[in-house]
Amino acid sequence: AQTVTQSQPEMSVQEAETVTLSCTYDTSESNYYLFWYKQPPSRQMILVIRQEAYKQQNATENRFSVNFQKAAKSFSLKISDSQLGDTAMYFCAFMGLSGYALNFGKGTSLLVTP
Amino acid sequence: NAGVTQTPKFQVLKTGQSMTLQCAQDMNHEYMSWYRQDPGMGLRLIHYSVGAGITDQGEVPNGYNVSRSTTEDFPLRLLSAAPSQTSVYFCASSYRDFYEQYFGPGTRLTVT
């Protein structure tokens, strides 16, 4: 079974600064997908970014980018120019060959301060 | 499109009671799933369906039942509620395998 580890339970960053959230995973599969989901206080799960393991290029979505290191099984999320609206719980998730089930990490609570 | 909808948003049950959490999607997605979220645990898969008439168990299926008679609907049934089932429940759907999963707004369930 795949496991996803987020080693930072809580993080804090000042507005306009950059923050990196860590995620590592364990799998024996060679092809898979990785995701970062954001959960604001509203509880809604929102997809932030997605990475396909067979693609070498790191995914980016506006202020959000990932550092995908396949050999190290690491998938960190960088948030640039942090905004107050980025305050949320962030979950790293793995999808393997099943194609349907997401394995989630325990989450990192991010607080953006003025 | 309404996306993925869930009802109710909040529910309080007594131990032993049964209830059904409703989930519907209007995106013609084949795949639907139920997850539960507990503090400090992330989300865990309860049951999933890859199409109408096809369901299977996820990581934590005990105490829950599902059926999928239509593409749109995927209800989750609690047969005899227990305090351990106090959680936030999310329904999700995706077009097919390896595609993004769209989540509903969640149902907060408390079992006393």
Side-chain angles (χ1 to χ4, degrees), chain B residues 37-60:
Chain B
Q37 182 180 21
D38 301 298
M41 295 291 292
L43 280 75
R44 292 180 293 168
L45 182 66
I46 304 171
H47 284 286
Y48 68 95
S49 170
V50 298
I54 307 169
T55 64
D56 208 343
Q57 297 180 350
E59 180 185 354
V60 288

Side-chain angles (χ1 to χ4, degrees), chain B residues 15-44:
Chain B
T15 297
Q17 288 184 317
S18 62
M19 81 158 294
T20 299
L21 306 185
Q22 300 292 344
C23 174
Q25 52 91 9
D26 61 359
M27 298 175 282
N28 202 30
H29 284 174
E30 287 297 317
Y31 284 45
M32 296 187 75
S33 306
W34 277 101
Y35 293 85
R36 60 177 287 174
Q37 182 180 21
D38 301 298
M41 295 291 292
L43 280 75
R44 292 180 293 168

Side-chain angles (χ1 to χ4, degrees), chain A residues 79-98:
Chain A
I79 306 174
S80 304
D81 186 26
S82 296
Q83 300 175 359
L84 296 178
D86 295 333
T87 291
M89 183 73 79
Y90 287 81
F91 292 98
C92 178
F94 174 100
M95 179 184 286
L97 291 178
S98 69

Side-chain angles (χ1 to χ4, degrees), chain A:
Chain A
Q2 294 86 8
T3 56
V4 178
T5 302
Q6 294 180 249
S7 57
Q8 305 148 316
E10 295 178 350
M11 295 191 72
S12 179
V13 64
Q14 284 195 311
E15 220 175 348
E17 297 294 308
T18 295
V19 64
T20 299
L21 309 184
S22 301
C23 173
T24 58
Y25 58 93
D26 185 27
T27 184
S28 58
E29 298 176 10
S30 58
N31 195 22
Y32 45 86
Y33 291 74
L34 296 161
F35 304 81
W36 279 98
Y37 277 88
K38 169 185 177 181
Q39 186 180 42
S42 67
R43 200 171 68 198
Q44 181 69 47
M45 294 290 288
I46 303 164
L47 179 67
V48 175
I49 202 163
R50 161 187 144 133
Q51 174 80 43
E52 298 170 45
Y54 64 87
K55 288 190 176 177
Q56 300 278 354
Q57 188 173 4
N58 289 328
T60 62
E61 285 288 340
N62 301 315
R63 297 182 295 107
F64 299 87
S65 62
V66 297
N67 183 3
F68 173 49
Q69 302 287 330
K70 191 172 183 179
K73 297 180 182 174
S74 170
F75 182 60
S76 60
L77 175 70
K78 185 171 82 171
I79 306 174
S80 304
D81 186 26
S82 296
Q83 300 175 359
L84 296 178
D86 295 333
T87 291
M89 183 73 79
Y90 287 81
F91 292 98
C92 178
F94 174 100
M95 179 184 286
L97 291 178
S98 69
Y100 63 83
L102 286 167
N103 288 314
F104 285 87
K106 295 183 178 182
T108 296
S109 178
L110 177 67
L111 176 66
V112 181
T113 58

